[in-house]
Amino acid sequence: MTAPLIQTINSVLVANRGEIACRVFRTCHELGVRTVAVHSDADANALHARVADATVRLPGAAPADTYLRGDLIVKAALAAGADAVHPGYGFLSENPDFARAVLDAGLTWIGPSPEAIEAMASKTRAKQLMGLAPLDENEVTENDLPLLVKAAAGGGGRGMRVVRRLDDLATALESARAEATSAFGDGEVFVEPYVENGRHVEVQILADTHGTIWPLGTRDCSLQRRHQKVVEEAPAPSLSDQLTAELHTLAIRAARAVSYVGAGTVEFLVADGKAHFLEMNTRLQVEHPVTEAVFGLDLVAEQLRVAEGHALPADPPPARGHAIEARLYAEDPAQDWTPQTGTLHRLTVPDGIRLDTGYEDGDTIGVHYDPMLAKLIAHAPTRAEAIRRLAGALDRATIHGPTTNRSLLVNSLRHEEFTTARMDTGFYDRHLPALTTGTPDPHAPLAAALADAAAQGDPRFGGWRNVPSQPQVKRYAMAGEEHEVHYRHTRNGPETDGVRVVHADARLVVLEVDGVQRKFGIARHGDRVHVNTTTLTALPRFPDPTTQQAPGSLLAPMPGTVVRLAEALTPGTPVEAGQPLLWLEAMKMEHRITSPATGTLTALHVAPGQQVEMGAVLAMVEQQPT
């Protein structure tokens, strides 16, 4: 019997950026494989470019001009002396033409064949391959509702819209096509029935060139907001052995149908004990670490071994325990989850938690790409222990910078519907407001004020006067409300009503409340003050009137490009509170900008295609008298 041909990989270019590239580079460095990064101008100093052994610039900033240019990436690989290309798990990872170009250049492609990608990359063709077919958008009726409009290429929730009224279908199709074109360079969309209250379950597969296919358990990714996965876990809880076996069989069937090689994911909706095929992603997924934790595997290392020609053992290693992953995003729930930009001053997590990220302390979160900061992964013997470990780690994590979805993640993990494994894809439709309505720490402003006084070297801090003086006053914004702090200096140090100040310096304040001493870690960056997990904004004693905006001003929540305006939108048009007025594209997504009040549009300052800075006045609405 002839031994299989083994081709050793010595240098890998990763055709992606951020956390994805950093994740692949980590394994390559452990294996002694040289790494090559590509970067846009916006990513010139990004972490993935800093940690790679060599870098190649892709001039420009937009994905379509840089990370989606397969021709430039192949040239970069050849110029840098790479002998293989890893597509990451985004951008070009499911582009068959890119895979062909890599192979035609004489490079090793770390992924499935172009033919397999082509068969499964389009969700419409994948469904046909599995004996399914999407609906005809011109023939759907009321009986077909609700509907899901979905991009044929790509993923990550982009290019997806739920339609509950036929009158909304045309708008949903237009919006989904625009977003898909921007995110994936492919505006093809299709329509399928929307399965209400199902669970999103997927099977990780790994296949070699010798005919072995591993189905690596199951994952549950039901906690999704705007069709973007938020929390994932392995194995999927509360599935019967019979249903799990059926999912494995269907996943293997999909892989064999296209002679699949490498790592891939087959996705399903599970409802009423039945599995409904969604799609096959011919790549690793963002949530692959939970499978790695449960099976004790490095899937990127296995991808390289398969690409070199090595055979997998007949059976995968046994599964052990439970793993849960949470995606930490820079986004503000108080601003309709608008992505946030700025400096990430500090990001640390407790020991024992895996942190996958594309950022280091001091890095800038820009406007051009996905706002995901990191993934936190916990592994434990049981699901309950994994939930507790991850929720506790998020609670204790240090996150100094833009507003994040930390509270949503913690509250989701501790929600009874999740802890008892009764969640489905409608989880956030039912619970989002309650999960994002947190109670800020009422003592955080006082702790911030005392730390600030110590940091400023107040000569009276820790001293006292025989003559009673006026209390010191500081103002902070917290959770959308203004808080005014009063305290006095006495012979025993600073004093305030109802709370004893045990200790106060620039970084740590200890307060005793009702006989219990509590510690408050303090960090200040500009006017932002982080007190444990609470973030405040320091306000000036006397507000500057020149910074006040006129009532009814509609401001850009972030830098971006105006994609389109609402139909027939001109000054003098009556508008309703919450009515969409225009759409802004930033961070690879469209963001709907709505009217702040019911009244009349009195001014419109932007046009489609116009780029705007954060805080720019987009329009003016004169509120209707009540």
Side-chain angles (χ1 to χ4, degrees), residues 374-419:
K375 305 177 309 192
L376 283 73
I377 304 98
H379 180 243
T382 67
R383 183 174 188 265
E385 291 173 287
I387 291 173
R388 184 178 62 192
R389 183 172 293 179
L390 184 55
L394 281 160
D395 247 348
R396 297 190 304 277
T398 301
I399 308 169
H400 296 165
T403 303
T404 72
N405 66 333
R406 182 219 300 255
S407 293
L408 173 68
L409 297 176
V410 173
N411 293 337
S412 298
L413 290 167
R414 291 173 173 166
H415 193 279
E416 183 184 11
E417 196 170 298
F418 181 77
T419 59

Side-chain angles (χ1 to χ4, degrees), residues 164 194-200 220-226 269-271 337 383 408 411-412 415-437:
R164 300 186 184 279
Y194 180 60
V195 179
E196 299 268 24
N197 301 325
R199 288 176 58 188
H200 189 118
D220 191 297
C221 310
S222 297
L223 266 60
Q224 303 177 11
R225 187 176 54 80
R226 294 175 178 170
L269 270 179
V270 172
W337 300 98
R383 183 174 188 265
L408 173 68
N411 293 337
S412 298
H415 193 279
E416 183 184 11
E417 196 170 298
F418 181 77
T419 59
T420 57
R422 293 183 290 111
M423 67 288 178
D424 55 47
T425 55
F427 180 82
Y428 286 125
D429 293 336
R430 296 187 296 273
H431 305 301
L432 190 60
L435 294 171
T436 54
T437 306

Side-chain angles (χ1 to χ4, degrees), residues 63-64 68 91 155 158-159 178-186 585 588-589:
L68 288 172
F91 292 124
R158 297 175 183 86
E179 189 170 89
T181 300
S182 173
F184 315 122
D186 184 346
E585 182 183 282
K588 297 169 59 182
M589 296 182 69

Side-chain angles (χ1 to χ4, degrees), residues 330-348:
E331 56 186 2
D332 188 352
Q335 299 182 23
D336 194 28
W337 300 98
T338 301
Q340 302 295 292
T341 59
T343 302
L344 180 65
H345 298 286
R346 184 77 167 147
L347 175 60
T348 62

Side-chain angles (χ1 to χ4, degrees), residues 577-591:
Q579 175 185 335
L581 301 183
L582 57 93
W583 286 260
L584 191 69
E585 182 183 282
M587 290 183 162
K588 297 169 59 182
M589 296 182 69
E590 281 191 6
H591 305 278

Side-chain angles (χ1 to χ4, degrees), residues 174-406:
E174 178 187 6
S175 177
R177 287 185 179 117
E179 189 170 89
T181 300
S182 173
F184 315 122
D186 184 346
E188 181 188 353
V189 299
F190 64 96
V191 179
E192 66 181 6
Y194 180 60
V195 179
E196 299 268 24
N197 301 325
R199 288 176 58 188
H200 189 118
V201 177
E202 55 193 36
V203 177
Q204 174 75 58
I205 60 168
L206 185 66
D208 63 18
T209 57
H210 307 274
T212 299
I213 301 175
W214 284 356
L216 293 171
T218 56
R219 293 192 292 252
D220 191 297
C221 310
S222 297
L223 266 60
Q224 303 177 11
R225 187 176 54 80
R226 294 175 178 170
H227 310 291
Q228 174 71 56
K229 298 168 186 174
V230 177
V231 175
E232 304 104 348
E233 61 181 304
S238 304
L239 296 184
S240 68
D241 292 343
Q242 180 180 353
L243 182 54
T244 299
E246 180 184 353
L247 292 168
H248 286 181
T249 298
L250 289 171
I252 293 172
R253 172 184 158 193
R256 291 207 185 281
V258 294
S259 301
Y260 196 81
V261 171
T265 308
V266 186
E267 301 193 357
F268 304 88
L269 270 179
V270 172
D272 300 323
K274 297 180 181 178
H276 304 264
F277 174 79
L278 283 177
E279 63 194 37
M280 180 177 181
N281 289 301
T282 52
R283 55 181 170 85
L284 276 180
Q285 300 262 99
V286 177
E287 58 271 23
H288 77 272
V290 293
T291 297
E292 292 183 319
V294 168
F295 283 89
L297 289 169
D298 182 330
L299 287 171
V300 173
E302 295 299 332
Q303 284 184 298
L304 267 66
R305 285 179 53 79
V306 166
E308 289 178 326
H310 294 281
L312 294 170
D315 297 303
R320 57 180 182 84
H322 202 96
I324 302 182
E325 171 182 292
R327 303 191 192 190
L328 183 70
Y329 283 91
E331 56 186 2
D332 188 352
Q335 299 182 23
D336 194 28
W337 300 98
T338 301
Q340 302 295 292
T341 59
T343 302
L344 180 65
H345 298 286
R346 184 77 167 147
L347 175 60
T348 62
V349 300
D351 292 341
I353 298 297
R354 172 172 167 177
L355 180 71
D356 283 11
T357 181
Y359 295 98
E360 282 185 334
D361 295 352
D363 283 351
T364 298
I365 302 160
V367 301
H368 299 286
Y369 311 112
D370 191 298
M372 189 176 81
L373 298 181
K375 305 177 309 192
L376 283 73
I377 304 98
H379 180 243
T382 67
R383 183 174 188 265
E385 291 173 287
I387 291 173
R388 184 178 62 192
R389 183 172 293 179
L390 184 55
L394 281 160
D395 247 348
R396 297 190 304 277
T398 301
I399 308 169
H400 296 165
T403 303
T404 72
N405 66 333
R406 182 219 300 255

